[in-house]
Amino acid sequence: MRTQVPLEAISPLIGCHHENPFALLGPHQVEDNGRKALAVRAFLPEAKQAWVVDAAHGEARPMRRIHPAGLYEAIHSTEDSGLSQLDGASYAIQVIDKNGERTTMHDPYAFEPLLGDIDLHLLGEGKHWSSYERLGAHLRTIDGVTGVNFAVWAPNAQGVSVVGDFNGWNAKLNQMRKHIPSGVWELFVPGLTDGTLYKFSVKQQSGRVVEKCDPYAFAAEVPPKTANVVTNLDSYEWSDSEWMGGREKLNGFDAPISIYELHLGSWRRDPADPDRWLSYREIAPQLVEYCQQMGFTHVELMPVSEHPFTGSWGYQTVGYFAATSRYGSPQDLMFLIDALHQGGIGVVIDWVPAHFPKDDHGLRMFDGSALYEHSDPRQGEHPDWGTMIFNYGRNEVSNFLISNALFWLDKYHIDGLRVDAVASMLYLDYSREDGEWIPNRFGGRENLEAIDFLKRFNEETHLQYPGVLTIAEESTAWTGVSRPTYVGGLGFSLKWNMGWMNDTLRYFHHESIHRKYHHDELTFSLIYAFTENFCLPFSHDEVVHGKGSMLDQMPGDMWQKFANLRLLYGYMWTHPGKKLLFMGGEFGQWHEWNYNESLQWHLLQWESHEGLQKYVSHLNHLYRNEPALHEVDFENGGFEWVDCHNHEDSVLAYLRKAKDPKDYLLVCSNFTPVPRQGYKLGVPEAVWFEEISNSDSTYFGGSDVGNDGGIQAVPMESHGRPASLEISLPPLSTVVLKPRR
């Protein structure tokens, strides 16, 4: 029986731009002059000979080369045998290549697609929240045949192939089928296993062929290599059920939340090999022990998703679903998170939906068109960062990002997502001059599609994973960032208080003698402190790009620098709002942070640095143990000024109150190096006030000016209160007193 394949049908296959290679390859029923038969075809450009092997009987039927480019066919009569069809499990193809090597493999084109109509419909609608379970590369077993199912969205590509170490990176061998109209390409490749290296070879409309990373890949090679790695994320066995069961309470608005932000590659390194990154598993026991010692409730990991340029610190992400391989495998990262959870530490990760880099193997111009980004650079490109902006109004793009957020909560048990650069998403004119941006449909500067995206992201996150925190890095006066979407907010749990951070650091940069002229830089934050659910951040952004370390930014001589930093932290930990501190700030790193080096842990041999570290640990434990410091962070009932007007002495005094009105603390900070004896303050009642914290203690490296354990208040009115006390205020210090009845 002669072949029935027309020559013109072969050309798209040879050129790797066939939208449905299944129409030509694999098993097909044919008929010639009333005779029925099965034709099995395979495109084997490297083969010298090929056979179809009957899996049940081991019989081999030779295949005929019907085109010089390497198209083979075997035709099997079905009339005598009664055989009417073949499937992927019933036969294999045996090949002898040009080197004389013989291989036997199941035919990828004998397997039906796994993506169903519902999957494709939800993807197009932008509501397939578990799309990471379907797109990308997934280990599957079909009719007893194991392999990997590949699927990728590239609607404007001429053709897409899977290439990898299994096929010599030859785009002709595993060409994918396009689902129309969704634009998703799919192929099951039998015989592939965990650890297989792969990419997608995309033939763009221009004819240019680009090897692209899988947007949904779970792992990749260590940069600068860029291939993806087939990975089974479900192989890890978690042991954090106790933490996960109590997480909603531990992440509550009335809970103590003190976050230690760190960059995994530079937190600690092996002293014997300082150029080597520690692995996730090496870091795990050290980080758990350190956070427990220091009293932090959570860690925040700078982006752990795969990124090609280490100097971007992870903020220029290529592999949104892939844990960076710099520190180990996905299972190694799970081990780290699991260990932190078992140690009672929550895990927040930085998530970057605001932009992505231009690297050719990444998302930019993925199928030759502006697929994930906007085509107009006035909408699609960040002028500051040289990166691309997502097209949030495209269903498939917003679906990609929201499902990515849910992926980290699902597969990695993440407890919170800190969303980077939210302000750049909200405003169309962000960092742009007139004429460099396009107004929205109402003529305004708000990015309506990004706003809708952020609301849906928060709604789905809180709906599917109650108790998970979403935290916005948002630096403008946008209203309702941390308010529910049903009252018009964006729906975040917390918002970084960038105004407080900037005003406070600006104040502390002043020499003490000048601070009385800048008193409002401290008091202003309480005017708006309860308009959002604020987190007070001293993040990595405050110790890079020539700003110096936290300690180095403090004015004065050596003693005053340490005293100022202790004062700053004491003020921060007693101010309303959750807390975040970047690594190194807790012990007074001298150098500005460098992602290529370990922190200066050797400084802890000095009492001044060790004392600062002890003080931060003390503050964290005080913060956790005193409900007045954390239960009512987001309402004005948790804070009350005692004295905010004494700019001449640069002194602040206030009460922090718990839900129980009888449970309160008196906080007093002296922002000058002048000790103040007998400083009179009004208090609610004439009882004994125990001094429970003093940043000037010699234990913390201070001068030990204090109040001998406490002060007796007397029934003498002051500051509008029925009782008063006279406190000794140490130089550059924060003192906390607690009533004992």
Side-chain angles (χ1 to χ4, degrees), residues 205-226:
Q205 287 296 330
S206 65
R208 180 173 181 247
V209 177
V210 184
E211 287 188 359
K212 290 285 189 177
C213 283
D214 178 2
Y216 281 86
F218 294 154
E221 292 181 293
V222 178
K225 295 181 178 180
T226 57

Side-chain angles (χ1 to χ4, degrees), residues 16 184 187 194 202 210-211 246 282 300 307 322 332 370 385 463 465 472 580 588 647 667 706 708 710 741:
C16 295
V184 175
L187 183 69
D194 208 2
V202 180
V210 184
E211 287 188 359
E282 289 175 307
E300 180 180 316
H307 49 284
D332 293 336
W385 305 326
L463 174 66
Y465 296 92
L580 179 139
H647 61 87
V667 182
D708 297 325
R741 301 174 182 87

